[in-house]
Amino acid sequence: MKYLLIDIGSTNIKSAVWQGGEISVQKTPFPPPVRDDGVHFEVDPAGILSRVREIVDDTDCDAVFFSVQMHGWLLADGAGRLLTPYISWQDRRAGAAGISLAVPKESGTSMKPNLPRAGVAAFAAESPQTFARAVRFFTLGSYLVYACTGRNATHITDAAASGFYDVKGRTAAACGLSLPEASYDVRTVGLYRGRRIYTPCGDQQCSVLGAGGGENRYVLNLGTAAQMCTAERGFAAGDFESRPWFGGNTLCTVTGLSGGKVLGEGKKDAASLAEEYLAAAARLPERKEMLVTGGAVRWHRAVLEAAFGKMGIPYAENEGADALEGLKILALRAEKERAEAEKTQGTEKTKTGGGL
């Protein structure tokens, strides 16, 4: 099997064709915003889609697996025609509009200026005539799947970031919009030019999985933005976001930490970083060790290592682990499950005399 792995980040779209063994990563810049005024952060979705299609069309892969930046969204009418650009996780219109929603822990996210559910409310207030035509809500992942297969579907690790889902109860909110189908396993959605398209997963979860998982230690994921997390079995709630994790478990996550964007501005020294990261760890289930991963480590190593030294928590670095490494694991799992299902179906047909 030949797998195409695509990680859609905020800076680059990374991709790799993988058949086992090492992968050779290709990068193309994520399209720049068409609107970035400090409140609104909008990107032309046609630019994103065209780059993704070019990547897929340029390979002879059998299956495509995505990890995607979360907390972004689009609206469309009943025919699937877009009414908005891609409204990124960097958009803050909900905060500027003073939107505040009660977001239960079961949603797997929390109220914040870039929460899509709150952003939709802000958009409805600022563009009521356009919103009146809105029927479909897309995450970035479900929009790409819809454009490729005609189905508005994604994985719960991506879907829950919108604020429209009950992760524990596995239900979607009644909100007047048609929401993406949210799967709780990584499964085939449909075909695009003969290639199987799988449900996209959240980039944070893929990165943590690729780094080695977060079951027994804190994972500090340092990308453009940063999060600290650790995994717990089943559904877990506390002073953190109860983000969905694979296998029906919870990735307990503290968000809004200083990552590459803040570090690049030089606004944080080692002492303040150590204080910030320790405060995040105190909100999570206790762990004795920390794993540090993400691209920001490479560019800001000196200040970060000084900060880690001040924290007093034993740590290891896995700078090279990223969402593509997580997608490799998900690809193997999904294909194994698919092969087992096909084998079971074949056995059943033989028992009943079918399939001849």
Side-chain angles (χ1 to χ4, degrees), residues 30-96:
F30 187 77
V34 295
R35 186 184 185 191
D36 177 13
D37 58 12
V39 174
H40 304 85
F41 197 101
E42 302 174 348
V43 181
D44 179 10
I48 305 171
L49 180 60
S50 65
R51 295 185 189 195
V52 170
R53 280 180 167 164
E54 286 174 6
I55 293 169
V56 177
D57 292 343
D58 196 40
T59 72
D60 59 347
C61 64
D62 302 295
V64 183
F65 291 80
F66 291 100
S67 72
V68 290
Q69 52 180 275
M70 299 179 289
H71 296 97
W73 54 278
L74 312 91
L75 296 178
D77 63 16
R81 294 182 293 259
L82 292 180
L83 301 173
T84 69
Y86 168 59
I87 298 174
S88 162
W89 64 271
Q90 299 181 71
D91 192 272
R92 295 295 186 271
R93 73 187 65 203

Side-chain angles (χ1 to χ4, degrees), residues 198-277:
Y198 279 79
T199 45
C201 296
D203 55 356
Q204 180 213 5
Q205 288 90 337
C206 288
S207 294
V208 172
L209 183 65
E215 287 79 6
N216 301 307
R217 52 191 171 181
Y218 304 117
V219 178
L220 179 60
N221 184 33
L222 291 161
T224 303
Q227 316 89 26
M228 184 178 286
C229 58
T230 191
E232 286 277 276
R233 291 190 177 277
F235 180 80
D239 188 19
F240 47 77
E241 290 190 359
S242 302
R243 293 188 173 187
W245 180 240
F246 304 106
N249 298 317
T250 302
L251 192 63
C252 312
T253 302
V254 177
T255 65
L257 303 179
S258 297
K261 186 173 182 178
V262 171
L263 293 173
E265 296 170 349
K267 295 180 178 179
K268 290 279 188 174
D269 60 16
S272 61
L273 284 172
E275 183 179 356
E276 179 182 348
Y277 296 154

Side-chain angles (χ1 to χ4, degrees), residues 84-316:
T84 69
Y86 168 59
I87 298 174
S88 162
W89 64 271
Q90 299 181 71
D91 192 272
R92 295 295 186 271
R93 73 187 65 203
I99 303 295
S100 181
L101 303 176
V103 183
K105 292 291 184 182
E106 290 79 8
S107 295
T109 186
S110 60
M111 180 59 215
K112 44 197 168 186
N114 68 343
L115 179 69
R117 189 169 187 171
V120 169
F123 179 82
E126 69 185 24
S127 303
Q129 292 183 332
T130 301
F131 183 73
R133 298 161 51 205
V135 174
R136 302 188 187 193
F137 173 92
F138 296 109
T139 66
L140 178 57
S142 78
Y143 167 67
L144 295 174
V145 166
Y146 179 79
C148 290
T149 71
R151 286 181 63 186
N152 183 13
T154 192
H155 190 262
I156 189 60
T157 51
D158 173 43
S162 68
F164 284 112
Y165 294 83
D166 179 331
V167 174
K168 185 177 181 181
R170 298 197 173 191
T171 58
C175 61
L177 294 170
S178 176
L179 299 172
E181 304 169 46
S183 68
Y184 285 75
D185 55 359
V186 182
R187 64 176 64 171
T188 304
V189 180
L191 296 176
Y192 171 72
R193 297 187 176 179
R195 302 166 176 91
R196 289 195 302 281
I197 303 296
Y198 279 79
T199 45
C201 296
D203 55 356
Q204 180 213 5
Q205 288 90 337
C206 288
S207 294
V208 172
L209 183 65
E215 287 79 6
N216 301 307
R217 52 191 171 181
Y218 304 117
V219 178
L220 179 60
N221 184 33
L222 291 161
T224 303
Q227 316 89 26
M228 184 178 286
C229 58
T230 191
E232 286 277 276
R233 291 190 177 277
F235 180 80
D239 188 19
F240 47 77
E241 290 190 359
S242 302
R243 293 188 173 187
W245 180 240
F246 304 106
N249 298 317
T250 302
L251 192 63
C252 312
T253 302
V254 177
T255 65
L257 303 179
S258 297
K261 186 173 182 178
V262 171
L263 293 173
E265 296 170 349
K267 295 180 178 179
K268 290 279 188 174
D269 60 16
S272 61
L273 284 172
E275 183 179 356
E276 179 182 348
Y277 296 154
L278 280 172
R283 295 168 56 185
L284 295 169
E286 184 177 1
R287 301 291 187 258
K288 301 298 184 183
E289 299 177 349
M290 180 173 70
L291 176 66
V292 181
T293 186
V297 178
R298 180 183 310 166
W299 304 109
H300 307 285
R301 180 174 297 279
V303 66
L304 285 169
E305 290 192 344
F308 302 151
K310 294 177 181 295
M311 291 175 64
I313 300 176
Y315 74 96

